[in-house]
């Protein structure tokens, strides 16, 4: 009986898809007869979906803020809560957040598919509000750790859902630029945490204010998502075609609805009665795109960028630059590169930016390795270290930073997009955790020359991998990308 029901359901959906295509063809033919020139309607306005994208990127801003909020506040926080001098406790304050992020990312796809993208954003904001309040009001280390665990859970859900939502609500011709907004928001969050945290060393209890402040954008995200459009792709996958049309009208305008629905129907309708099994993702026809996505995220982390972000202050301090100035320099370089990437994403394309970015990072890591050789003078070594570090951050933000999240949300088919993104983000967090955990130990055991040479080798490996495996998605609809990548059954 179930097989018969599924066959009838699939037949109904296929008929619906044909109806959309034929309706669009009739409407397009009428439009051409009216204008007599055979011109298409043109691209929808980017202004319609922009407010919805900006609301979604608040989650990325919170992601960046919570990554950076302990940077300036950790010292005063440890004094107030009684764990000053304990490197283990300080490490736990940072790593507990990463552990929560891993758990949140692992379940983000099931949440996004189960309750929709808008509700997933609200569920992402809720633990961030609770965790921020717990961290700000705690009287001991355990309260701080529990608060950071809650915050980390929200951080893990956020990036995957942002990438999904932005890709699914953006017009094709600006999808790259809108996708880059998430990286810019993360940079702004990091810089915001830095500037808000500056008084923490001199003002008693200021670190609590830093955590209270983060609850405000989280509340704004939860509230404004109530008025934002749901993803038409998710609605269509759930069989709610009328609501998908209404969402497209809100995002693109009435004249583009038929064409958008026809495009959505190309890849075949989603079947909400089928659950996506883990074995299907790992060993089935989707395994290739999942391999590309997870490997890209792993190479992003193995490039050594987080070693730069986590430990840049010590390198700058050895060059006589104060840590505040060091963090500002890194933050500004990251933000500048992200803005340039946004402007170039839909002109040069994702693949070219990735190739240029990983190549630049390989050069930057080589400069860091050269600084550790005996052939370099002390002043030359300092210039090479600082210059290599800033070049690494800049080139990372041009491609390796913003592109993987955007690219993965584009290459995964609609049916598996949310769950596949969740698995790839889990890979991201695992590799991120181990790089942060072992970097200082490896630096001590192997020395900077060999370690930075290894990072440079991973960057070159990423260049080869991108060249052989990554499909250029610039100017293609999500359905065209799916048809090009997915082998037919």
């Amino acid at each position: 009986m179930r097989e018969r029901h599924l066959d009838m359901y699939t037949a109904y959906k296929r008929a619906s898809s044909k109806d959309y295509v034929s309706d669009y063809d009739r409407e397009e033919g009428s439009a051409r007869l009216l204008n007599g020139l055979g011109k298409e309607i043109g691209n929808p306005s980017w202004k319609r979906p922009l407010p919805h994208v900006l609301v979604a990127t608040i989650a990325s801003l919170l992601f960046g803020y919570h990554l950076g909020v302990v940077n300036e506040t950790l010292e005063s926080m440890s004094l107030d809560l009684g764990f000053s001098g304990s490197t283990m406790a300080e490490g736990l304050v940072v790593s507990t957040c990463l552990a929560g992020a891993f758990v949140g990312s692992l379940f983000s796809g099931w949440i996004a598919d189960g309750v929709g993208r808008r509700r997933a954003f609200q569920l992402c904001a809720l633990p961030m509000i609770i965790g921020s309040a717990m961290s700000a009001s705690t009287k001991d280390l355990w309260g701080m750790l529990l608060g950071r665990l809650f915050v980390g859970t929200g951080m893990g859900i956020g990036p995957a859902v942002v990438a999904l939502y932005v890709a699914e609500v953006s017009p094709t011709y600006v999808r790259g630029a809108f996708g880059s907004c998430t990286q810019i928001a993360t940079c702004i969050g990091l810089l915001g945490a830095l500037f808000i945290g500056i008084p923490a060393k001199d003002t008693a209890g200021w670190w609590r204010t830093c955590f209270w402040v983060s609850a405000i954008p989280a509340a704004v995200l939860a509230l404004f998502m109530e008025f934002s459009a749901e993803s038409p792709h998710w609605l269509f996958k759930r069989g709610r075609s009328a609501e998908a049309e209404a969402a497209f009208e809100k995002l693109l305008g009435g004249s583009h609805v038929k064409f958008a629905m026809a495009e959505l129907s190309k890849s075949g309708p989603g079947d909400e009665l089928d659950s996506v099994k883990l074995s299907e993702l790992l060993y089935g026809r989707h395994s290739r795109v999942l391999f590309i996505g997870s490997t890209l995220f792993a190479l992003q982390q193995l490039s050594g960028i987080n070693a730069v972000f986590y430990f840049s202050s010590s390198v700058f301090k050895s060059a006589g630059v104060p840590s505040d100035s060091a963090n500002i320099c890194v933050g500004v370089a990251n933000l500048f590169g992200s803005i340039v990437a946004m402007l170039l994403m839909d002109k040069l394309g994702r693949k070219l930016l990735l190739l240029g970015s990983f190549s630049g990072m390989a050069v930057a890591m080589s400069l860091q390795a050269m600084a550790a050789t005996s052939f370099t003078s002390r002043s030359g070594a300092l210039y090479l270290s600082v210059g290599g570090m800033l070049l690494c951050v800049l080139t990372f933000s041009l491609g390796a930073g913003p592109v993987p999240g955007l690219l993965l949300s584009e290459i995964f088919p609609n049916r598996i997009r949310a769950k596949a993104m969740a698995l790839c983000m889990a890979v991201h967090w695992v590799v991120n955790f181990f790089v942060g955990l072992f970097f200082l130990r490896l630096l001590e055991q192997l020395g900077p020359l060999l370690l930075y040479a290894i990072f440079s080798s991973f960057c070159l490996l990423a260049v080869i991998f991108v060249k052989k495996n990554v499909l250029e998605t610039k100017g293609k609809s999500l359905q065209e990308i799916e048809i090009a990548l997915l082998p037919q059954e």
Side-chain angles (χ1 to χ4, degrees):
M1 286 297 292
R2 186 176 184 272
E3 286 78 4
R4 183 181 175 187
H5 174 71
L6 287 173
D7 290 342
M8 292 175 65
Y9 177 82
T10 306
Y12 165 73
K13 283 301 205 175
R14 284 175 181 166
S16 300
S17 301
K18 290 177 182 178
D19 289 344
Y20 279 123
V21 176
S22 60
D23 285 349
Y24 168 70
D25 289 340
R26 285 195 293 271
E27 185 174 287
E28 184 184 41
S30 301
R32 289 181 175 178
L33 285 173
L34 285 172
N35 62 30
L37 296 173
K39 293 181 179 178
E40 295 184 6
I41 296 170
N43 290 322
S45 172
W46 55 267
K47 295 178 182 178
R48 277 178 171 268
L50 181 61
H52 307 272
V53 170
L54 292 178
V55 172
T57 55
I58 295 175
S60 297
L61 184 143
L62 284 163
F63 173 77
Y65 186 90
H66 283 293
L67 280 180
V69 71
V70 296
N71 196 328
E72 295 291 334
T73 60
L74 192 57
E75 183 180 337
S76 56
M77 180 201 310
S78 62
L79 288 170
D80 283 358
L81 299 182
F83 61 90
S84 179
S86 172
T87 54
M88 177 63 73
E90 291 177 355
L92 281 173
V93 170
V94 176
S95 60
T96 302
C97 193
L98 296 178
F102 170 74
V103 174
S105 67
L106 204 57
F107 291 100
S108 61
W110 279 261
I111 293 171
D113 268 351
V115 299
R117 315 312 192 218
R118 289 168 61 236
R119 293 289 176 258
F121 277 115
Q122 293 173 324
L123 288 175
C124 153
L126 185 61
M128 286 191 172
I129 295 171
I130 295 171
S132 297
M134 292 176 67
S135 299
S137 58
T138 186
K139 302 297 183 184
D140 54 36
L141 173 62
W142 293 108
M144 174 58 68
L145 294 180
L146 188 58
R148 293 290 285 168
L149 186 65
F150 268 90
V151 165
T153 304
M155 284 173 61
I157 297 171
V161 180
V162 172
L164 285 172
Y165 185 79
V166 172
E168 291 174 349
V169 304
S170 302
T172 299
Y173 74 104
V174 290
R175 193 171 61 236
F178 282 2
S180 300
C181 288
T182 61
Q183 179 73 6
I184 293 173
T186 302
C187 296
I188 293 172
L190 280 164
L191 283 172
L194 167 67
F195 283 113
I196 292 173
I198 286 174
K201 293 177 181 177
D202 303 316
T203 306
W206 183 259
W207 64 269
R208 296 184 185 275
T209 304
C210 296
F211 283 101
W212 280 121
V213 164
S214 65
I216 298 172
V220 171
L221 173 64
L223 177 63
F224 279 42
M225 261 299 151
E226 196 63 35
F227 306 101
S228 298
E230 181 55 270
S231 163
H233 292 253
W234 180 78
L235 291 169
F236 185 75
K237 186 169 75 168
R238 303 294 289 185
R240 294 154 63 175
S241 299
E243 292 176 62
E245 285 190 9
F248 270 133
E249 186 170 0
K250 191 174 184 179
L251 292 164
L252 307 178
S255 59
H256 297 274
V257 171
K258 289 291 184 182
F259 176 75
M261 292 300 291
E263 279 289 300
L264 201 55
S265 301
K266 282 182 181 178
S267 57
D271 188 348
E272 70 272 15
L273 297 178
D274 279 343
S275 60
V276 180
K277 296 178 181 177
L278 188 62
S279 59
E280 183 183 351
L281 294 175
L282 297 178
Y283 310 112
R285 61 198 296 254
H286 303 297
S287 59
R288 179 176 173 243
V289 286
L290 190 72
F291 168 74
I292 292 171
S294 55
T295 304
L296 199 55
F297 262 136
L299 288 170
Q300 180 200 56
Q301 297 304 305
L302 291 171
S303 68
I305 186 60
N306 278 324
V308 172
F309 279 129
Y310 294 157
F311 307 107
S312 60
S313 296
S314 59
V315 174
F316 277 94
K317 192 176 287 185
S318 66
V321 181
S323 62
D324 290 351
S325 302
N327 290 328
I328 290 173
C329 288
V330 169
V332 168
N334 196 15
L335 179 60
F336 175 75
S338 300
I339 293 172
V340 174
M342 180 187 71
L343 298 174
L344 297 179
M345 193 73 72
D346 291 305
K347 294 180 180 178
L348 298 182
R350 288 54 151 164
K351 188 171 183 176
L352 186 59
L353 285 179
L354 273 180
L355 291 171
S357 178
F358 279 121
S359 299
M361 291 177 73
V363 172
M365 288 298 177
S366 298
L367 292 178
Q368 300 258 58
M370 287 172 58
T373 63
S374 58
F375 303 104
T376 309
S377 65
R378 179 171 174 78
S379 60
L382 291 176
Y383 282 121
L384 284 172
S385 293
V386 173
M389 195 161 283
L390 289 176
L391 178 63
C392 185
V393 172
L394 179 63
T395 51
F396 171 81
S397 62
L398 286 171
V403 171
L406 168 65
L407 187 69
L408 267 57
S409 62
E410 293 177 322
I411 67 173
F412 290 135
N414 190 29
R415 180 169 171 266
I416 67 159
R417 187 172 295 136
K419 295 180 177 68
M421 279 291 294
L423 290 177
C424 290
M425 287 302 298
V427 170
H428 166 274
W429 284 112
V430 169
V431 181
N432 185 345
F433 174 80
F434 283 110
V435 169
L437 183 65
F438 291 116
F439 173 73
L440 290 178
R441 183 68 182 269
L442 290 172
L443 187 63
E444 186 181 275
Q445 297 290 324
L446 303 178
L449 175 60
L450 182 56
L451 184 57
Y452 284 117
I454 291 172
F455 285 145
S456 181
S457 299
F458 273 117
C459 292
L460 292 175
L461 183 63
V463 171
I464 297 170
F465 179 81
V466 169
K467 198 166 186 179
K468 289 188 174 182
N469 294 281
V470 172
L471 173 77
E472 180 54 69
T473 58
K474 178 189 73 172
K476 295 182 175 70
S477 70
L478 297 179
Q479 289 67 45
E480 290 170 336
I481 298 166
E482 178 176 339
I483 292 168
L485 274 176
L486 191 64
Q488 299 302 309
E489 290 179 318

